[in-house]
Amino acid sequence: MRLIKSMSMVVVLLLVVACKTNPFTGEKNLNFVSNDQLFPASFEQYDQFLSENEVIRGTAEAQMIKRVGNKIETAAERYLNANGYQGFLEDFRWEYNLVKDDAVNAFAMPGGKIVFFTGILPVAENETGVAVVMAHEIAHALADHGAQRMSAAQLQQLGAVAGSVAVSGRSQETQQIFAQAYGLGTQLGVMLPFSRSHETEADRIGLTLMAIAGYNPEEAADLWRRMAAKNDGQAPPEFLSTHPSNQTRINNLEKWAPEAKAEARKYGVTSY
């Protein structure tokens, strides 16, 4: 019992002190993994990934990926500087690479390391479509979603240890029931909703960034219509997924596009 109380106090302390303000939402987010801890490992893993895959260089598509990335990066810096977050990006080492792979995907690693797979380009269709995906991925990096997921996973593990200790004197069957219930409950009730909230947040931040960069945010919903057509019938139910459903995303993007345009007008962007 004393061990459980001690662990509970540690968890509460972490929740109180380990928060970082999201510069785009103003909200305090759970994050007790510092850039100094996370970024070097991220950069190393990114370099290893590139060394193990075929990176496309010098083509028009590869150049477009870098061009769009640079424009979204510049938009992010303009936004951050204008809102009192000068120096926020000083530890970031931005890099944008196109990798030969049929997967309809792109991903961001902490510290600004972005990968686009060639398989997503036909769905993107054009530079604005690429900007939708790029802004979303850059938003993940800027909002520290990787560090937040690591923080949440560590708390999940602490809870599992505390619960295991609490039932350690019970029967083996009771211990197994607890382990299964805790694993399923935290996954469906905490971790998956947490991940979906990150995707939604990255969609909204991404719309603002692409608009400031001069890309029409109204085209974001069109990209996800194409994505929905590509994945018709293949996606799991939303509550079992790490991502919102395609229709949820389309509805949100349509709703948020006007506010992204309004924000972009503050930076002199009036046409797309």
Side-chain angles (χ1 to χ4, degrees):
M1 182 64 68
R2 185 174 300 172
L3 175 61
I4 296 174
K5 288 182 177 178
S6 297
M7 292 183 68
S8 298
M9 290 177 63
V10 170
V11 170
V12 171
L13 182 61
L14 285 172
L15 290 172
V16 170
V17 303
C19 291
K20 185 175 180 180
T21 301
N22 184 318
F24 295 92
T25 66
E27 296 177 352
K28 295 284 188 179
N29 298 130
L30 174 69
N31 183 355
F32 44 85
V33 183
S34 69
N35 290 351
D36 290 342
Q37 294 173 288
L38 187 58
F39 283 10
S42 173
F43 299 162
E44 183 177 342
Q45 291 171 11
Y46 185 79
D47 289 341
Q48 181 177 346
F49 177 86
L50 294 183
S51 71
E52 295 172 352
N53 290 272
E54 183 179 348
V55 180
I56 308 298
R57 305 183 191 278
T59 66
E61 290 178 333
Q63 290 170 355
M64 177 177 63
I65 296 299
K66 294 184 184 299
R67 180 174 64 252
V68 174
N70 288 331
K71 290 176 71 173
I72 302 294
E73 174 191 337
T74 298
E77 188 167 12
R78 291 183 68 191
Y79 178 94
L80 291 165
N81 288 344
N83 287 276
Y85 288 91
Q86 295 86 352
F88 186 90
L89 299 174
E90 64 183 10
D91 294 329
F92 282 68
R93 300 292 180 267
W94 296 102
E95 194 170 348
Y96 315 98
N97 281 289
L98 179 63
V99 169
K100 186 175 182 180
D101 193 301
D102 291 336
V104 182
N105 202 10
F107 66 83
M109 297 183 67
K113 303 297 186 179
I114 313 295
V115 166
F116 266 65
F117 292 137
T118 52
I120 202 170
L121 296 180
V123 181
E125 284 192 351
N126 52 44
E127 185 166 324
T128 300
V130 168
V132 176
V133 179
M134 181 68 73
H136 174 91
E137 298 303 336
I138 286 179
H140 275 310
L142 293 172
D144 293 319
H145 287 161
Q148 289 181 47
R149 285 193 295 272
M150 290 179 65
S151 300
Q154 290 176 31
L155 287 180
Q156 184 187 35
Q157 292 169 5
L158 280 174
V161 171
S164 296
V165 171
V167 299
S168 60
R170 307 290 182 87
S171 67
Q172 189 68 30
E173 181 182 7
T174 298
Q175 293 180 46
Q176 290 176 348
I177 290 173
F178 164 78
Q180 293 172 357
Y182 179 84
L184 184 61
T186 55
Q187 187 68 8
L188 292 180
V190 179
M191 301 304 286
L192 288 178
F194 192 55
S195 178
R196 289 194 295 272
S197 73
H198 283 173
E199 296 300 324
T200 299
E201 186 173 81
D203 280 346
R204 193 167 193 171
I205 295 170
L207 272 187
T208 297
L209 295 180
M210 70 176 290
I212 295 173
Y215 296 103
N216 187 355
E218 292 178 349
E219 295 192 33
D222 292 334
L223 169 75
W224 281 101
R225 290 187 184 93
R226 296 194 294 272
M227 195 73 76
K230 176 77 173 178
N231 298 325
D232 185 34
Q234 299 178 28
E238 184 170 279
F239 79 97
L240 292 176
S241 176
T242 56
H243 290 58
S245 70
N246 289 324
Q247 191 58 54
T248 295
R249 299 182 93 153
I250 291 166
N251 293 344
N252 285 337
L253 291 167
E254 288 179 332
K255 179 175 65 176
W256 296 331
E259 72 178 34
K261 282 188 166 185
E263 185 67 27
R265 284 195 291 271
K266 298 178 184 178
Y267 300 84
V269 182
T270 58
S271 60
Y272 302 95

